[in-house]
Amino acid sequence: MSATTKVIKEVTAANDKYAASFTKGSLPMPPGRKFTVVTCMDARLDPAKALGLEEGDAHVIRNAGGRAKDALRSIIISQQLLGTQEILVIHHTDCGMLTFKDSELRQIVKDRFNGNEEHTEFLSFTNVEQSVRDDIKFIRDSKVVKPEIPISGWVYEVETGKIRSVSV
Ligand SMILES: [Zn+2]
């Protein structure tokens, strides 16, 4: 038996409520609105609320920074197997990825766990607009997405809740 934590109690109580009025049990697997969002895991960013997404609408691929390199596997599956036809890359202001360098995080892992992450790319960045441009270019250059697929870039402002366009 695994120990019940405070978090487990909270999420299971919330899920009981959610499931009690759940009516979307027969949605198809492919996203109905046929697009994919690649964005950061930051807890302040709620893509469903901020972008008006309902269950079944879109794929939201999240990781630290919303980096495309980390998301590529999922992008391919989303497009080739599940029919999505557009990508939005959304990074955000005050991102944690702006606060460290890959070399620093490698050192932390080494010091604290005697671990070796010499080959892990943590994909930190120093400019949020540039990281969006870099990721769009990365997806294009990867040649695993058809050239006609629209890929747009955005910065979500944690201060205002607004997304602003990044010109590529
Ligand atoms: Zn972030």
Side-chain angles (χ1 to χ4, degrees):
M1 275 250 305
S2 57
T4 296
T5 66
K6 178 172 176 284
V7 170
I8 291 171
K9 282 181 194 144
E10 289 167 358
V11 301
T12 53
N15 182 253
D16 285 344
K17 268 192 198 169
Y18 177 75
S21 59
F22 187 74
T23 57
K24 296 179 175 174
S26 47
L27 292 170
M29 189 192 298
R33 293 171 60 192
K34 300 185 190 302
F35 68 93
T36 302
V37 177
V38 178
T39 196
C40 187
M41 65 186 186
D42 193 288
R44 294 166 294 180
L45 203 177
D46 184 333
K49 285 184 191 163
L51 307 174
L53 307 178
E54 300 289 337
E55 292 90 338
D57 275 354
H59 282 149
V60 179
I61 305 166
R62 303 189 72 166
N63 60 47
R67 299 313 312 263
K69 192 167 192 180
D70 204 341
L72 198 62
R73 179 184 69 89
S74 302
I75 290 170
I76 295 169
I77 292 168
S78 177
Q79 299 229 324
Q80 303 311 313
L81 301 181
L82 292 162
T84 59
Q85 297 167 2
E86 180 163 355
I87 300 172
L88 283 75
V89 175
I90 308 178
H91 294 177
H92 67 96
T93 56
D94 198 38
C95 187
M97 300 297 281
L98 296 158
T99 66
F100 71 96
K101 291 188 175 69
D102 281 24
S103 57
E104 294 166 355
L105 193 47
R106 288 196 189 101
Q107 194 60 47
I108 287 171
V109 173
K110 201 170 186 181
D111 293 346
R112 294 184 188 166
F113 306 105
N114 199 26
N116 182 354
E117 296 298 330
E118 278 307 308
H119 303 293
T120 302
E121 282 185 270
F122 290 102
L123 306 171
S124 60
F125 49 78
T126 56
N127 178 300
V128 71
E129 279 84 9
Q130 191 55 47
S131 66
V132 170
R133 286 188 200 101
D134 290 348
D135 278 10
I136 291 172
K137 184 176 187 311
F138 175 81
I139 297 168
R140 289 286 182 217
D141 289 352
S142 71
K143 304 235 191 301
V144 297
V145 169
K146 289 181 193 161
E148 64 268 27
I149 292 283
I151 308 176
S152 56
W154 305 86
V155 172
Y156 173 83
E157 298 176 346
V158 295
E159 301 83 4
T160 64
K162 290 182 180 169
I163 54 169
R164 56 179 149 86
S165 176
V166 174
S167 57
V168 179

